[in-house]
Amino acid sequence: ENKMTEPQNLNPAKRYRRQDWPGELYENGSFYFAKRHLIEKGYLQGGKMAYYEMRAEHSVDIDIDIDWPIAEQRVLSFGYFGKEPLKEVKLLVCSVDGCLTNGRIYVTEDQKEMVSYDYRDLVGIDLLKKRGIQVRLISERDCSKTLSAMPLGCLAKVNVANKLQVLEDWQKDMGLSWKEVAYLGNEESDVECLKKTGMSGVPADACVVAQKAAGYICKSNGGCGAVREFAEHIFLLLEKVNSARKQ
């Protein structure tokens, strides 16, 4: 209707830098569309102007190096899924030691092995199953007796020398695309699996190379709710994708 936004406290010719803005709202500098004659006059704005107020989670300024992790976490949490459309996740594969457990192994005098797990992670696994997402476990060592004592109800593969090979076998057997597979790992042996799958995550205390390969870094450590947190992350992303499709 030929209405223009009239700035009350902003002179387009003398714009504040974001760091110097005294008010609560500030320009985020995302996009500027201007004709040549304005730019030649040294303006970035002029003539017909309108504003669009962005939500906080969609507006991140990168001024110094420590702003990058904030921007990366915003992207991971609020919806960039790559060039290919995200599909419904059908399978989550989780490394046992360091993800489902905290990685510590207690050995009794009679050589029996004990580990601890977080009940929240069992709830997370149950929620995934209710959403139709199959959960499978993988381990480089023989922890079958320990897993049998846990009320998990998940298919597990132990004594695995090549985790990626097992993951590929499961993916092919289930007829899934990599976009339908999620992986939670924490060690160097998980790196290739983390890179391959559509969704990937690591606990907060995962090794550095695993963190670099993952799409999401949990706030929780392994064995302390990381599985539950990653499950909620999956639900969040899928909910946003489904909402976008409806629109």
Side-chain angles (χ1 to χ4, degrees):
E1 298 178 359
N2 296 323
K3 290 183 178 180
M4 292 190 297
T5 299
E6 295 292 338
Q8 293 182 347
N9 57 353
L10 172 68
N11 182 350
K14 297 180 180 180
R15 295 169 52 254
Y16 281 98
R17 296 188 310 158
R18 193 250 332 157
Q19 298 93 328
D20 300 329
W21 183 258
E24 180 181 353
L25 299 176
Y26 58 86
E27 293 180 280
N28 63 14
S30 292
F31 302 101
Y32 297 100
F33 300 95
K35 292 185 177 180
R36 180 177 174 178
H37 72 275
L38 287 174
I39 297 175
E40 288 177 342
K41 291 179 179 179
Y43 296 169
L44 287 178
Q45 298 172 345
K48 294 181 179 180
M49 292 185 293
Y51 72 89
Y52 173 76
E53 186 173 342
M54 297 181 70
R55 295 172 61 182
E57 63 265 25
H58 294 155
S59 178
V60 181
D61 286 286
I62 300 176
D63 297 313
I64 55 178
D65 57 350
I66 60 174
D67 292 332
W68 277 108
I70 298 173
E72 289 173 353
Q73 286 302 315
R74 290 278 181 88
V75 168
L76 292 171
S77 297
F78 294 98
Y80 177 74
F81 313 112
K83 294 181 180 179
E84 297 180 33
L86 185 68
K87 295 184 178 180
E88 186 73 29
V89 175
K90 301 291 181 63
L91 172 66
L92 167 63
V93 177
C94 176
S95 182
V96 176
D97 298 303
C99 291
L100 182 62
T101 74
N102 61 10
R104 294 180 180 178
I105 301 173
Y106 303 90
V107 181
T108 63
E109 292 181 356
D110 55 355
Q111 302 300 307
K112 290 184 178 180
E113 182 181 291
M114 293 186 298
V115 297
S116 63
Y117 61 88
D118 195 312
Y119 179 73
R120 292 173 295 177
D121 290 332
L122 270 64
V123 174
I125 291 174
D126 187 55
L127 290 173
L128 287 162
K129 290 179 179 179
K130 289 179 179 178
R131 286 283 297 266
I133 301 174
Q134 192 171 146
V135 181
R136 296 187 179 185
L137 306 174
I138 194 167
S139 177
E140 292 177 280
R141 64 188 189 87
D142 186 1
C143 55
S144 53
K145 290 184 178 179
T146 302
L147 291 175
S148 64
M150 297 182 184
L152 299 172
C154 301
L155 178 65
K157 185 80 171 177
V158 299
N159 271 336
V160 174
N162 187 333
K163 290 182 177 178
L164 181 58
Q165 184 60 60
V166 173
L167 183 64
E168 288 178 340
D169 290 342
W170 283 344
Q171 177 246 340
K172 291 176 183 177
D173 289 343
M174 295 180 66
L176 304 176
S177 69
W178 285 114
K179 284 285 183 180
E180 296 172 301
V181 182
Y183 192 91
L184 184 66
N186 69 302
E187 277 295 345
E188 287 190 40
S189 58
D190 297 305
V191 168
E192 295 305 316
C193 297
L194 292 167
K195 291 179 178 179
K196 198 81 172 179
T197 52
M199 282 192 191
S200 58
V202 294
D205 55 352
C207 70
V208 174
V209 290
Q211 290 189 16
K212 289 183 178 179
Y216 179 76
I217 300 175
C218 297
K219 297 179 180 66
S220 306
N221 289 339
C224 299
V227 178
R228 172 66 182 273
E229 182 182 338
F230 189 52
E232 292 177 346
H233 176 67
I234 291 173
F235 299 151
L236 173 66
L237 294 190
L238 292 178
E239 180 182 341
K240 289 185 174 294
V241 170
N242 292 331
S243 297
R245 286 172 180 169
K246 292 177 181 178
Q247 294 175 357

